[in-house]
């Protein structure tokens, strides 16, 4: 495996200079320094900087000629300021309302000549006034020092530089002083674990990759970019030195940037550095997720990744002691042990493997639901068409797609349980997509019965007995013994439901997947869409969904 390679400069930096940065790697021991930061001058000289942004002597070795007219970031306090700031824009990104996607403003990460980093903010009404180029140096006259937000902070400073009505911004082509190009704040595994689910400050991660979407790093690895774009994320199993293996979920732009960088290398890159990640529990274990502010770097992109790559090449035996395939397998349990776990007051959301026999397919309720074709949340009847029930989805009028929502009763030698099969897990059970089964039924149904089905699925009040009956493909699974990957949810832990959600069903003789493979998009979940149907089944599903939508619209208009 080739451990080094060339990579184009970060897409966030329109500058020909190297992006130099911090380092949480000490070459002598190979261990990281917690929350450490090093700022580097454009000439490449690294200088240790205090982690305290209010420290007057931070990065005192930086050669500069400070002007009395220029305010340093360490001097910024709350309130309006008729003063001048000089800084480099490290990175900027749009802040949007998570529900409506409405633009709130443009956030920035800024660094001054002392190496102090502060967050900047431009309100949405003023975004169009300023043309920003990441990596460039600017002079800002007049601003407001607003209080930094409590959650998801990207800088240590207690204040944020907010652009006000009388702010004046100009680019400095030839800055009178040297200003560092970047700064990183690294956390160790222990620190991420201690701050898990706290929604507090966002720190940076550097380590090496062990799996990418379940694939080992070999010359034959293939990134399915279409599938990644559809699901909006990818999962990388990562490890720092010889520490525990974690999962890193890269979303949206971070996932796209990862794919572009991964392909740009002549060989297979090994080192991954992601900024401003959020530590949270997924599947009962610590995972890191990217945010809107996150940037992605690999092997030779920045100095910390270069330093880590140098350590990795020299210590490959240490780095390969832990196998990602082993540590990410869900724990096998009996149904009795599963319910004991749920009753434990200290238990958290987790995934398990259960081997059980299907006793029956529970009838009396619909075995599927009509989902939004974009996010797979439930679609409901609107004035003239189906609409998505998920407020976070940007599609207001949707094409409905049938998805599994099937309850089955199962048993093993110890206990009985009710499982609910959602989404792709249903196809793994029957070999057919729900959309295909519904489409087949529509093709054979009379116009009158089809209309009843349409009314039922659009919540028009018709009893569930008039819905599409349970198909033979589901009934034929009765008596089969299968391995189920199940999720113990918050609803199970709080006693709201005893029904256990199945996220994946393992075919006989197939290798057991990692926990991340069992995380798929289901009704009401906003983690990203699951894969679609293909071939002839896809065409039938599309036609059935179009029929559902168009005929329901006609019925609504006609009263």
């Amino acid at each position: 495996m080739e451990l080094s390679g060339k990579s184009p400069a970060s897409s966030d930096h329109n500058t020909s200079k190297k992006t130099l940065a911090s380092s949480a790697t000490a070459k002598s021991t190979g261990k990281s320094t917690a929350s450490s930061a090093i700022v580097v001058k454009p000439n490449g000289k690294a200088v240790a900087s205090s982690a305290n942004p209010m420290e007057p002597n931070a990065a005192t070795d930086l050669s500069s000629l400070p002007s009395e007219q220029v305010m340093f970031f360490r001097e910024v306090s709350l309130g309006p300021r008729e003063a001048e700031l000089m800084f480099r824009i490290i990175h900027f990104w749009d802040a949007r309302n998570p529900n409506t996607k409405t633009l709130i403003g443009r956030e920035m990460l800024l660094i001054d000549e002392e190496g102090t980093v502060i967050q900047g903010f431009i309100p949405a009404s003023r975004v169009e006034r300023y043309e920003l180029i990441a990596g460039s140096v600017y002079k800002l006259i007049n601003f407001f020092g607003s209080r930094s937000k409590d959650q998801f902070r990207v800088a240590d400073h207690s204040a944020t530089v907010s652009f006000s009505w009388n702010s004046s911004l100009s680019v400095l082509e030839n800055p009178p002083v040297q200003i560092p190009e970047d700064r990183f704040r690294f956390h160790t595994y222990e620190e991420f674990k201690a701050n898990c689910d706290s929604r507090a400050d966002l720190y940076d991660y550097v380590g090496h990759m062990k799996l990418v979407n379940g694939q080992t790093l070999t010359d034959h690895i293939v990134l399915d970019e279409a599938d990644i774009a559809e699901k909006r994320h990818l999962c990388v199993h990562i490890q720092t030195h010889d520490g525990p293996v974690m999962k890193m979920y890269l979303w949206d732009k971070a996932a796209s940037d990862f794919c572009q960088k991964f392909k740009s290398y002549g060989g297979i890159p090994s080192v991954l550095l992601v900024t401003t990640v959020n530590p949270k529990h997924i599947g009962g274990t610590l995972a890191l997720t990217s945010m809107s502010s996150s940037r992605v770097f690999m092997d030779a992109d920045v100095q910390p990744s270069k330093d880590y790559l140098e350590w990795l090449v020299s210590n490959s035996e240490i780095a390969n002691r832990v196998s990602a395939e082993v540590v990410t397998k869900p724990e096998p349990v009996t149904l009795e042990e599963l319910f004991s776990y749920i009753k434990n007051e200290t238990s958290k959301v987790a995934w398990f493997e259960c081997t059980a026999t299907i006793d029956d397919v529970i009838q009396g309720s619909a075995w599927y639901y009509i989902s939004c074709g974009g996010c797979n949340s439930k679609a409901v009847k609107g004035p003239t068409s189906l609409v998505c029930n998920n407020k976070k989805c940007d599609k207001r009028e949707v094409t409905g797609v049938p998805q599994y929502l099937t309850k089955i009763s199962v048993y093993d030698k110890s206990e009985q349980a009710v499982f609910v099969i959602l989404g792709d897990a249903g196809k793994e059970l029957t070999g057919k997509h729900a959309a295909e089964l519904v489409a087949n039924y529509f093709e054979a149904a009379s116009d009158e019965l089809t209309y009843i089905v349409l009314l039922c699925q659009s919540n028009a009040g018709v009893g569930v007995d008039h819905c599409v009956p349970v198909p033979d493909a589901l009934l034929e699974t009765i008596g089969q013994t299968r391995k189920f990957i199940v999720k113990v949810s918050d609803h199970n832990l709080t006693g709201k439901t005893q029904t256990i959600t199945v996220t994946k069903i393992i075919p006989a003789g197939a290798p057991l997947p990692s926990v991340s493979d069992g995380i798929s998009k289901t009704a009401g979940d906003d983690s990203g869409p699951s894969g679609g149907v293909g071939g002839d089944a896809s065409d039938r599903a599309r036609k059935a969904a179009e029929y559902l939508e168009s005929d329901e619209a006609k019925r609504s208009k006609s009263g």
Side-chain angles (χ1 to χ4, degrees):
M1 178 171 63
E2 188 174 340
L3 292 178
S4 62
K6 302 284 186 181
S7 172
S10 166
S11 60
D12 298 319
H13 287 196
N14 292 346
T15 172
S16 60
K17 301 175 183 177
K18 283 191 300 185
T19 302
L20 299 169
S22 91
S23 67
T25 304
K27 298 180 184 178
S28 58
T29 63
K31 297 297 181 181
S32 60
T33 302
S35 302
S36 64
I38 291 180
V39 292
V40 185
K41 295 190 295 183
N43 64 9
K45 184 176 181 181
V47 182
S49 169
S50 167
N52 183 355
M54 310 305 286
E55 172 61 51
N57 296 320
T60 54
D61 190 50
L62 287 171
S63 58
S64 61
L65 297 173
S67 168
E68 293 181 357
Q69 299 176 346
V70 177
M71 176 181 287
F72 294 124
F73 285 165
R74 59 179 167 81
E75 301 172 311
V76 172
S77 57
L78 304 182
R81 292 289 179 267
E82 294 184 357
E84 178 181 319
L85 297 175
M86 185 166 56
F87 53 81
R88 186 187 302 276
I89 296 181
I90 297 176
H91 180 49
F92 62 87
W93 61 96
D94 288 343
R96 296 184 178 275
N97 184 296
N99 295 323
T100 65
K101 308 301 181 184
T102 303
L103 181 67
I104 298 174
R106 183 155 293 162
E107 296 185 280
M108 301 167 286
L109 192 62
L110 315 175
I111 188 169
D112 69 4
E113 64 174 288
E114 292 187 328
T116 305
V117 173
I118 199 170
Q119 189 163 350
F121 180 75
I122 303 176
S125 60
R126 302 187 180 116
V127 164
E128 297 301 324
R129 298 184 191 177
Y130 305 101
E131 182 177 350
L132 306 180
I133 301 176
S136 294
V137 176
Y138 290 86
K139 178 176 68 175
L140 176 67
I141 301 176
N142 300 331
F143 62 94
F144 189 91
S146 57
R147 191 180 304 278
S148 290
K149 55 187 179 182
D150 295 328
Q151 297 182 337
F152 302 137
R153 294 196 315 169
V154 297
D156 296 322
H157 209 296
S158 60
T160 293
V161 173
S162 297
F163 286 34
S164 54
W165 66 273
N166 60 345
S167 294
S168 173
L169 182 72
S170 58
V171 64
L172 298 178
E173 298 292 347
N174 298 297
V177 296
Q178 292 181 334
I179 297 181
E181 295 193 356
D182 213 331
R183 176 172 171 168
F184 299 91
R185 306 188 304 166
F186 292 102
H187 257 190
T188 62
Y189 173 86
E190 290 74 18
E191 289 171 313
F192 280 126
K193 186 175 181 179
N195 292 280
C196 190
D197 298 320
S198 66
R199 303 170 67 88
D201 285 21
L202 302 175
Y203 287 87
D204 309 327
Y205 172 86
V206 64
H208 58 279
M209 297 178 279
K210 300 190 75 72
L211 298 173
V212 178
N213 269 358
Q215 303 178 79
T216 55
L217 298 183
T218 67
D219 292 335
H220 303 293
I221 185 172
V222 176
L223 296 180
D224 189 341
E225 295 186 66
D227 182 65
I228 293 171
E230 183 180 4
K231 293 181 178 179
R232 293 179 40 230
H233 78 278
L234 59 83
C235 176
V236 185
H237 287 78
I238 50 175
Q239 181 184 20
T240 299
H241 304 298
D242 59 349
V245 175
M246 294 187 289
K247 294 185 289 293
M248 170 84 75
Y249 292 95
L250 300 177
W251 288 88
D252 298 324
K253 186 177 185 302
S256 175
D257 290 347
F258 178 94
C259 292
Q260 292 179 11
K261 287 181 176 292
F262 197 91
K263 293 190 304 180
S264 70
Y265 276 80
I268 302 298
S270 301
V271 177
L272 179 64
L273 189 160
V274 183
T275 66
T276 61
V277 294
N278 180 29
K280 59 192 302 185
H281 280 108
I282 298 178
T285 60
L286 172 64
L288 305 178
T289 64
S290 67
M291 304 291 283
S292 299
S293 55
S294 296
R295 295 175 290 155
V296 177
F297 301 103
M298 293 181 185
D299 288 1
D301 288 347
V302 289
Q303 194 60 46
S305 59
K306 290 180 182 178
D307 292 340
Y308 191 92
L309 179 60
E310 182 178 342
W311 175 88
L312 186 64
V313 172
S314 303
N315 298 273
S316 58
E317 292 184 3
I318 298 176
N320 292 326
R321 286 176 183 171
V322 180
S323 170
E325 293 94 329
V326 173
V327 300
T328 56
K329 287 182 179 179
E331 179 183 355
V333 295
T334 64
L335 293 177
E336 183 179 25
E337 291 170 334
L338 183 66
F339 286 123
S340 295
Y341 177 84
I342 292 173
K343 293 176 182 178
N344 192 326
E345 294 182 356
T346 61
S347 294
K348 297 181 179 180
V349 173
W351 279 258
F352 296 96
E353 173 205 339
C354 290
T355 299
T357 301
I358 300 174
D359 180 60
D360 198 6
V361 179
I362 297 177
Q363 304 188 42
S365 61
W367 60 270
Y368 72 101
Y369 71 101
I370 299 299
S371 74
C372 166
C375 71
N376 284 2
S377 296
K378 186 176 181 180
V380 297
K381 178 185 175 183
T384 60
S385 64
L386 295 176
V387 296
C388 182
N389 201 32
N390 181 6
K391 294 181 180 180
K392 296 183 179 180
C393 181
D394 56 0
K395 293 186 178 182
R396 297 272 66 89
E397 294 188 0
V398 302
T399 298
V401 177
Q403 298 280 1
Y404 281 99
L405 181 62
T406 307
K407 291 183 179 181
I408 61 174
S409 60
V410 300
Y411 65 90
D412 64 7
K413 294 181 179 180
S414 65
E415 186 60 271
Q416 292 179 314
V418 174
F419 287 173
V420 59
I421 310 294
L422 297 176
D424 292 341
K427 194 263 182 181
E428 293 164 350
L429 178 64
T430 66
K432 298 179 181 294
H433 290 277
E436 180 181 358
L437 298 177
V438 172
N440 290 341
Y441 181 79
F442 283 166
E443 290 174 0
S446 65
D447 290 342
E448 181 179 0
L449 182 56
T450 301
Y451 175 51
I452 294 175
V453 172
L454 291 173
L455 289 177
C456 174
Q457 291 302 324
S458 59
N459 298 330
V462 178
V464 294
D465 292 337
H466 295 287
C467 293
V468 178
V470 176
D472 290 340
L474 279 170
L475 296 176
E476 290 169 358
T477 65
I478 295 174
Q480 294 182 9
T481 299
R482 306 294 287 268
K483 285 185 179 180
F484 300 90
I485 305 301
V486 299
K487 177 185 177 182
V488 174
S489 67
D490 285 323
H491 289 301
N492 297 133
L493 298 175
T494 56
K496 292 182 179 179
T497 180
Q498 291 185 328
T499 302
I500 309 297
T501 299
V502 175
T503 61
K504 194 171 186 67
I505 300 175
I506 311 302
L512 192 63
S514 67
V515 172
S516 59
D517 295 331
I519 301 176
S520 61
K521 178 67 178 156
T522 55
D525 185 4
D526 62 356
S527 60
S530 61
V533 292
D536 295 336
S538 177
D539 293 335
R540 289 197 296 270
R542 177 179 54 79
K543 291 177 182 178
E546 289 174 353
Y547 185 76
L548 271 167
E549 184 176 14
S550 62
D551 198 60
E552 176 58 28
K554 293 176 184 177
R555 300 285 183 180
S556 299
K557 290 180 180 179
S558 62

